[in-house]
């Protein structure tokens, strides 16, 4: 998995279906169908609010001045919160401004289609005001986001075989979309036939490395080929963790992949990363061998293997570094040095 900036799921869905429909031709119906379900939700929300919400009714009854609660949208995790009520003067001059604000929040495709369906020829400002008011409501945005996320998941499951058959250069566009999710989503790891990285003068030669050159290659952070797990950082945001070592070994049942995260006890994000590894193991233990955090003390390497049920169970409930220290003490496995 990879991490970085995030975008709203509505925008992620529209980018996804644009790729499916107009760029790669996988499903020509994906774009119009996604647009239809989102706009239909807005139309339904409008009808319901006209029947049940007095403030929405009042704002449309007297379009000279309206009162709205502006929304604050956190650009990191897209959390939506309402601010204090404000008065907005509505006129033909600023009707277009309200329309642009709705586009900025919902996207051009969605707003234009809503206007096409709902436009009142004798009173176009009213329709612009309707979409503006809908875009200002946190309850409506939450419903849109939830619907868009479900549709991304369903389309991804449906078309994954077709996506896997695309050239790697095209697949990367979809991988970038998965990485833009506000909540962690798995992505396929694509390894390049060759890699370039700086070589230290005193680099040590390691035999049987996946990329066979006279130096050691770590699982470097934030590369297109990097393997990552997600953990919840101290500020509440999700962040990617990149285990230093990814090891492929033979077993009687075939090859298996291990991941190791060396992490000193003095580092403040230790228990956060350990809990993230436990969650990763809980979701993917069947696809890996060891999923372990490692510590070195007095030249002794000890690993905490979250692929073990008894370690993972405690790891999922970690709340501080002292609990992580106790888990290393009770469940850590010393590794004998060669």
């Amino acid at each position: 998995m990879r991490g970085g900036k995030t975008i709203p799921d509505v925008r992620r869905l529209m980018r996804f279906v644009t790729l499916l429909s107009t760029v790669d031709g996988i499903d020509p119906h994906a774009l119009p169908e996604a647009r239809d379900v989102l706009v239909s939700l807005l139309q339904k929300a409008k009808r319901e609010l006209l029947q049940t919400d007095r403030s929405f009714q009042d704002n449309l009854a007297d379009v000279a001045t309206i009162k709205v609660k502006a929304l604050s949208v956190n650009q990191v995790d897209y959390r939506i919160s309402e601010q204090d009520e404000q008065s907005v003067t509505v006129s033909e001059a600023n009707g277009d401004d309200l329309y642009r604000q709705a586009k900025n929040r919902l996207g051009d495709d969605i707003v234009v289609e809503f206007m096409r369906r709902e436009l009142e020829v004798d009173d176009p400002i009213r329709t612009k005001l309707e979409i503006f008011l809908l875009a200002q409501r946190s309850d409506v945005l939450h419903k849109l986001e939830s619907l868009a996320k479900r549709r991304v998941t369903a389309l991804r499951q449906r078309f994954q075989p077709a996506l896997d058959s695309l050239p790697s250069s095209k697949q990367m566009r979809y991988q970038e979309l998965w990485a833009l999710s506000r909540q962690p989503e798995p992505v396929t790891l694509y390894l390049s036939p060759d890699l370039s990285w700086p070589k230290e003068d005193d680099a040590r030669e390691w035999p049987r490395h996946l990329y066979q050159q006279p130096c050691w290659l770590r699982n470097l952070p934030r590369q297109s080929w990097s393997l990552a797990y997600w953990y919840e950082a101290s500020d509440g945001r999700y962040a990617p963790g990149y285990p230093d070592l990814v090891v492929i070994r033979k077993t009687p049942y075939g090859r298996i992949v291990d991941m190791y995260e060396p992490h000193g006890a003095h580092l403040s994000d230790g228990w956060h990363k350990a809990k993230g590894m436990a969650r990763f193991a809980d979701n993917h233990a069947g696809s890996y061998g060891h999923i372990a955090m490692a510590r070195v003390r007095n030249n002794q390497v000890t690993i905490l293997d979250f692929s073990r049920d008894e370690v993972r169970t405690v790891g999922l409930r970690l709340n501080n570094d002292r609990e992580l220290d106790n888990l290393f003490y009770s469940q850590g496995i010393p590794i004998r040095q060669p």
Side-chain angles (χ1 to χ4, degrees):
M1 295 189 233
R2 298 167 59 197
K5 67 176 184 178
T6 65
I7 62 174
D9 285 315
V10 168
R11 292 188 180 276
R12 207 162 59 101
L13 171 62
M14 297 310 294
R15 289 190 191 181
F16 184 17
V17 295
T18 298
L19 288 174
L20 287 176
S21 292
T22 63
V23 178
D24 295 322
I26 293 174
D27 179 12
H29 304 294
L31 175 55
E33 287 176 354
R35 183 170 53 215
D36 175 66
V37 297
L38 294 175
V39 175
S40 295
L41 186 151
L42 287 170
Q43 291 179 290
K44 181 181 178 181
K46 169 192 165 181
R47 292 193 298 269
E48 292 176 347
L49 290 169
L50 283 173
Q51 294 175 357
T52 63
D53 191 285
R54 184 61 182 268
S55 65
F56 192 80
Q57 298 165 2
D58 290 345
N59 276 329
L60 290 174
D62 180 11
V63 296
T65 302
I66 61 173
K67 292 183 178 181
V68 296
K69 288 185 177 180
L71 296 184
S72 173
V73 181
N74 188 307
Q75 296 303 313
V76 175
D77 56 14
Y78 203 68
R79 291 178 183 170
I80 303 167
S81 58
E82 291 186 348
Q83 305 299 304
D84 294 337
E85 190 173 78
Q86 301 176 5
S87 294
V88 177
T89 302
V90 180
S91 65
E92 186 173 351
N94 73 348
D96 288 339
D97 182 56
L98 299 179
Y99 184 54
R100 282 192 294 271
Q101 290 186 50
K103 281 186 173 183
N104 289 338
R105 182 147 289 169
L106 302 176
D108 286 13
D109 247 354
I110 306 303
V111 173
V112 170
E113 180 62 16
F114 180 89
M115 291 291 295
R116 187 188 71 79
R117 296 185 188 185
E118 296 288 317
L119 181 64
E120 297 187 22
V121 178
D122 296 332
D123 193 1
I125 294 181
R126 177 186 171 93
T127 312
K128 293 177 180 179
L129 180 57
E130 288 173 349
I131 191 62
F132 169 78
L133 292 173
L134 289 170
Q136 292 297 310
R137 295 187 65 99
S138 59
D139 54 347
V140 173
L141 291 187
H142 282 304
K143 289 178 181 177
L144 279 173
E145 284 290 285
S146 179
L147 175 59
K149 183 172 179 58
R150 292 196 303 272
R151 197 161 188 89
V152 167
T153 300
L155 288 172
R156 184 177 178 184
Q157 292 174 346
R158 179 181 174 187
F159 292 113
Q160 193 61 55
L163 301 182
D164 289 340
S165 68
L166 292 172
S168 58
S169 59
K170 291 188 175 182
Q171 290 187 30
M172 288 304 299
R173 293 198 295 258
Y174 294 92
Q175 299 286 54
E176 290 168 357
L177 275 179
W178 315 150
L180 289 172
S181 173
R182 290 181 291 117
Q183 295 179 334
E185 288 186 1
V187 301
T188 304
L189 190 64
Y190 293 102
L191 296 177
S192 172
D194 54 82
L195 298 175
S196 298
W197 62 89
K199 176 178 177 295
E200 301 290 340
D201 293 337
D202 58 348
R204 178 179 176 183
E205 294 188 13
W206 288 83
R208 297 185 297 176
H209 194 277
L210 186 61
Y211 290 92
Q212 196 65 45
Q213 287 292 335
C215 70
W216 176 254
L217 175 66
R218 290 176 53 200
N219 178 46
L220 296 175
R222 291 173 289 279
Q223 304 296 316
S224 61
W225 42 266
S226 300
L227 174 67
Y229 61 92
W230 289 83
Y231 68 96
E232 191 171 355
S234 57
D235 60 4
R237 292 184 294 174
Y238 283 105
Y242 299 90
D244 282 353
L245 305 178
V246 180
V247 178
I248 302 172
R249 57 185 169 88
K250 288 183 178 180
T251 74
Y253 310 102
R255 289 184 176 88
I256 196 165
V257 177
D258 299 327
M259 52 187 283
Y260 296 95
E261 176 76 290
H263 203 75
H266 64 287
L267 298 173
S268 60
D269 60 353
W271 73 270
H272 294 282
K273 287 192 170 182
K275 193 170 186 176
M277 294 190 75
R279 189 178 296 114
F280 184 92
D282 202 41
N283 293 327
H284 305 287
S287 303
Y288 290 82
H290 303 302
I291 300 175
M293 180 172 279
R295 283 183 176 178
V296 180
R297 185 176 182 182
N298 298 327
N299 293 322
Q300 172 63 62
V301 179
T302 302
I303 67 167
L304 194 58
D305 191 355
F306 294 102
S307 64
R308 296 168 54 204
D309 289 343
E310 60 272 28
V311 177
R312 184 166 64 254
T313 300
V314 179
L316 289 169
R317 300 197 301 262
L318 289 173
N319 290 301
N320 53 59
D321 283 316
R322 178 172 295 181
E323 292 180 1
L324 176 59
D325 293 341
N326 291 338
L327 188 56
F328 259 101
Y329 179 79
S330 62
Q331 299 290 345
I333 301 173
I335 301 299
R336 186 173 60 186
Q337 300 293 310

